[in-house]
Every structure is written in C-alpha cells, then in structure tokens.
Amino acid sequence: MSTSKTTAARPAPQKGNGRRGLTLPVVLLIVAGGLALISLVRLISGAEDITSVGQVAGALELAVPIGLAGLGGLWAERAGVINIGLEGMMILGTWFGAWAGFQWGPWMGVLFGILGGCIGGLLHAVITVTFGVNHIVSGVAINILAVGVTRYLSNFAFDGIQGGSSKQSPRIDPIDKITIPGLSDWLADLQQHHWFLISDIAGIIGGLITGLSLLTVVALLLIPATWWILWRTPFGLRLRSCGESPVAAETLGVNVYKYKYIAVTVSGGLAGLGGAFLAIVATGIYQEGQTGGRGYIGLAAMIFGNWMPGGMALGAGLFGFTDSLKLRGGAENVHAMLLLLAILLVIAVFWQLYKKKYVSAAVAAVVSALLFTWYFLTDQVPSQFVDAAPYVTTLLVLSLSAQRLRMPKANGVPYRKGEGK
C-alpha cells in the first residue's frame, strides 16, 4: 500500500516535448556555417563593413543593454512573473546611474543604476505577488510611472547645473576600456584584407577585444553566471519550480513568495544595470527617452531565446548587429542583409520540405523570391526601411521561432499562498 502511494506520487518522466538538445559540435557547426554564409554575402554584395572590427564592437555595445534587460526578464519569468515593466526599470537605471555617476564617479553610478532598477522590480513584486494585480497592468503602470518620476527628479537634480537641463544630465566620467595591444592591431590588419572567412573571423574577434568597457565584461559574465545559478544550484531549482508549478513547490516546502520576490527584484536590478550602461558607457550622459524601447526588445530577445540565457544572448546580439548595420554604412549594409535573408529562407524551404510542411515551405519560397528580386533590381533600400530594420528583424525572428517556444507553465498565473495545502 505504501509502495503504491509513493509510486503514484512520483511524477512521470518528461521527454522534453520530443526534442533533443543541441550538442556542442552541432552548435559549432551551425556557427561555422553562419560565418561562412555571412562571408559569402559580404563578397557578393561588396559590403565590406559587415564584419569589420568597428561593426562588431558597435554591435556588442548596442546588444549589452538589450541583453541585460532580457536577462532580467528571464529571472522574473522563470519564477512565474511576467515583467513588462523592464522598460521602466531601465529608465530608472539610466536616471539613477547618471545622477550618482555625476556625483561620485561611474562605478557608483553603476551601483545606483542597479538599485534604481531594483526599486522598480520590488514595486512590481509587491503589486503582482502580494496583491495579485495582473502582471501586464502592473508592468505598464511601472513604465509610465518611471517616465514621470525621472522627469520630475531631473528638474531638481540636473536643471541649472552646467551641462545639464530638465531632460539631460551633465557629462559622466567614462569607465575604463581595455584593448589587447598587438593582437588587436594584427586582427584589424587581417580583417582589412577582406579574405573569405579568415577576415570575417578576425573582424569578429578583433571587435570583441578592442575598446572593451569593463562593464561590458561584467555584463557578458552575467550570462553564464545566470545559467549556473538557475540550472546548477538548489536555489535555482526552487526558483524555477515557482514558475513551473508553484503549488507543487509549496507542498515541497518552498517559500514561493520569497523566491518570486527575489527573482523580480533581481530582474529589476539587471534591467537597471542595462539602463546604467546606456547612460554611462554607451552615451556618457542621461537623456530623457534614451532607452528607446530596449526593455521591450530585451523581452523579445528572451522569448526568442526560449527563456534560456544562451538563446537570449543570441537574440540580443542579433538585434545589436542589425542596429549597428543601420548606424555604420546604413543603406548599403542593410541592402546586403536582403541577400542574406533570402539565402536563409532558401535553406528554410528545404528544411520545411524535409519536415513535410509544404505550406510553410511555399510561403518561405515566395518571400525568398521577392527578396532576391528586390536585391538584384536595386542598389540600396529606402532610408525608412534602414531605420526599421532592427525591429523588422526582431519580428521576423520571433515569428519564425514561435513554433519551438515553451514558456514556464505557471508564467503569469495568479498564485495564493496555501493553495498547495
């Protein structure tokens, strides 16, 4: 009798939706294939700046705040709390980071930026976890509140100070940057030869080691740190259980409220760090509206990454890359991306045919043909499309990856303490 009860209480093993995870050799093969394809597009189109040192360095700088926001969203949603308020928490991070950075130096600005985001995250946790308000409503309210609060505070903190106004801060001292001497110059020279694949690899590596802010290094290290904490520690297991089945977690003695509070507060701190990065590293100044929707894009990157740190980083990098294409070379670089996208869709056609999804294959084939036609009949794309390219890329990637997504089962589901008793 006791044995049968124990067996019945034990959950059945899950098969992971029938999908096998990508092994390291497969991932490396995909990366190598992607680099070869980009190099081929560069040679055909003549857009030599696609994988230059400056291009990659700019893409990394643009991707970091998006990635930090996405990492913040991952912490919250893995605990079952939808965090639409990432944009507002980033705004708080930009303001507090700039204010403290101007007063006491850039690293104090980083600390206060994190604290500013944590305040927003804590407020979101109180509203959603304790009072049970709809997560979307709470997040939107925090976004609106953050804009009003920072605008009000700027009138007292920055207005009347030399270099400041009610909409911007004075200049902030920069954080030190590192460059590997010798190696950086050699890679830059190698990239300028424009050889197939070799120059592209040199440009990518050179961009990652040239003029690298110390805060960028910290941000990059947070990605594997998050993976280790959430997937390799008992703390992370308990936190993720709150996002999958809080009732079951409670029956096992997990304080669900505590873990949700921790997750959402950390989420706000990471978004605040992204905001501080924008103010201190990316621009060196606080300006009203400088987040530019990056909190929402970070949320999209997290969804694209299937609520996993590595996939989220890939999504943030993709957006940063397309955004830097717009800033460096503009129409020529984006025009080359039409060819890259057309070739990728041809690959998608064969993949869909292999999976016997004939309708999807037909749609991909039609879109690919249109992109090939657009590319070969024009020399550049309209300036409006150049500006919209990062956002269009985000929408396309999300639509193509939607079939494989699996969000935490209890994400956004109201929970009340005692339901597991």
Side-chain angles (χ1 to χ4, degrees):
M1 187 72 174
S2 176
T3 304
S4 61
K5 285 184 178 179
T6 305
T7 305
R10 190 175 298 161
Q14 296 182 355
K15 297 183 179 180
N17 297 330
R19 294 188 178 94
R20 296 177 62 185
L22 294 177
T23 61
L24 181 59
V26 174
V27 171
L28 293 176
L29 185 62
I30 292 173
V31 171
L35 283 175
L37 183 58
I38 291 174
S39 184
L40 179 64
V41 168
R42 176 181 60 80
L43 291 176
I44 295 173
S45 65
E48 303 293 355
D49 197 44
I50 290 178
T51 53
S52 67
V53 172
Q55 174 72 50
V56 174
L60 180 62
E61 188 171 281
L62 290 167
V64 166
I66 296 170
L68 287 170
L71 208 59
L74 187 148
W75 271 81
E77 300 209 4
R78 277 294 176 180
V81 179
I82 298 174
N83 194 355
I84 296 293
L86 289 169
E87 178 75 7
M89 297 167 198
M90 283 192 79
I91 292 172
L92 292 173
T94 58
W95 192 91
F96 281 99
W99 174 72
F102 170 68
Q103 300 284 342
W104 303 298
W107 285 109
M108 285 300 295
V110 170
L111 177 60
F112 272 77
I114 295 172
L115 291 176
C118 285
I119 292 172
L122 184 60
L123 179 61
H124 187 51
V126 170
I127 295 172
T128 57
V129 178
T130 301
F131 294 103
V133 175
N134 181 277
H135 299 188
I136 307 297
V137 173
S138 173
V140 171
I142 288 173
N143 291 338
I144 297 171
L145 180 64
V147 173
V149 167
T150 53
R151 184 175 299 172
Y152 175 77
L153 292 175
S154 293
N155 291 323
F156 297 98
F158 302 139
D159 196 16
I161 298 177
Q162 184 178 2
S165 70
S166 60
K167 294 187 177 182
Q168 73 174 40
S169 71
R171 181 65 55 179
I172 307 165
D173 292 335
I175 289 177
D176 293 337
K177 295 185 177 182
I178 55 175
T179 298
I180 300 178
L183 179 60
S184 178
D185 296 333
W186 177 69
L187 289 171
D189 291 338
L190 193 60
Q191 178 261 316
Q192 290 174 2
H193 284 87
H194 307 307
W195 293 329
F196 175 74
L197 195 57
I198 296 175
S199 293
D200 300 280
I201 295 174
I204 291 171
I205 298 175
L208 297 177
I209 63 172
T210 303
L212 192 65
S213 170
L214 292 177
L215 189 56
T216 301
V217 177
V218 173
L220 293 175
L221 291 175
L222 286 173
I223 297 171
T226 291
W227 173 82
W228 184 79
I229 292 171
L230 294 184
W231 274 269
R232 287 295 182 269
T233 66
F235 168 83
L237 178 61
R238 296 187 189 102
L239 187 146
R240 287 186 293 115
S241 71
C242 297
E244 295 293 340
S245 179
V247 174
E250 183 185 348
T251 61
L252 295 174
V254 176
N255 188 334
V256 177
Y257 276 14
K258 181 183 79 171
Y259 281 92
K260 284 180 179 288
Y261 262 85
I262 292 172
V264 181
T265 304
V266 171
S267 173
L270 289 168
L273 178 59
F277 184 94
L278 277 174
I280 299 170
V281 176
T283 60
I285 193 172
Y286 163 79
Q287 291 178 312
E288 187 176 301
Q290 72 185 128
T291 55
R294 286 177 174 83
Y296 301 113
I297 300 298
L299 201 62
M302 177 206 67
I303 296 171
F304 162 75
N306 206 11
W307 288 265
M308 294 293 290
M312 181 282 306
L314 181 62
L318 177 64
F319 185 89
F321 180 71
T322 53
D323 204 11
S324 64
L325 286 176
K326 177 188 72 174
L327 298 176
R328 294 177 57 91
E332 180 184 0
N333 288 338
V334 176
H335 186 253
M337 288 300 101
L338 293 178
L339 179 59
L340 176 61
L341 186 57
I343 296 174
L344 288 173
L345 285 173
V346 170
I347 297 173
V349 169
F350 287 105
W351 178 252
Q352 295 297 333
L353 289 174
Y354 171 76
K355 302 287 285 186
K356 297 182 179 180
K357 296 180 179 179
Y358 301 111
V359 175
S360 300
V363 172
V366 171
V367 176
S368 178
L370 291 174
L371 288 173
F372 274 121
T373 303
W374 187 1
Y375 175 78
F376 287 110
L377 293 182
T378 60
D379 294 327
Q380 59 182 10
V381 295
S383 59
Q384 295 86 350
F385 185 81
V386 174
D387 294 335
Y391 307 98
V392 173
T393 301
T394 303
L395 291 174
L396 286 174
V397 168
L398 285 177
S399 62
L400 291 173
S401 62
Q403 295 180 351
R404 66 175 180 83
L405 299 179
R406 182 204 171 276
M407 67 188 296
K409 291 182 180 179
N411 194 19
V413 177
Y415 164 78
R416 278 286 164 265
K417 188 174 182 179
E419 289 181 355
K421 296 180 180 179

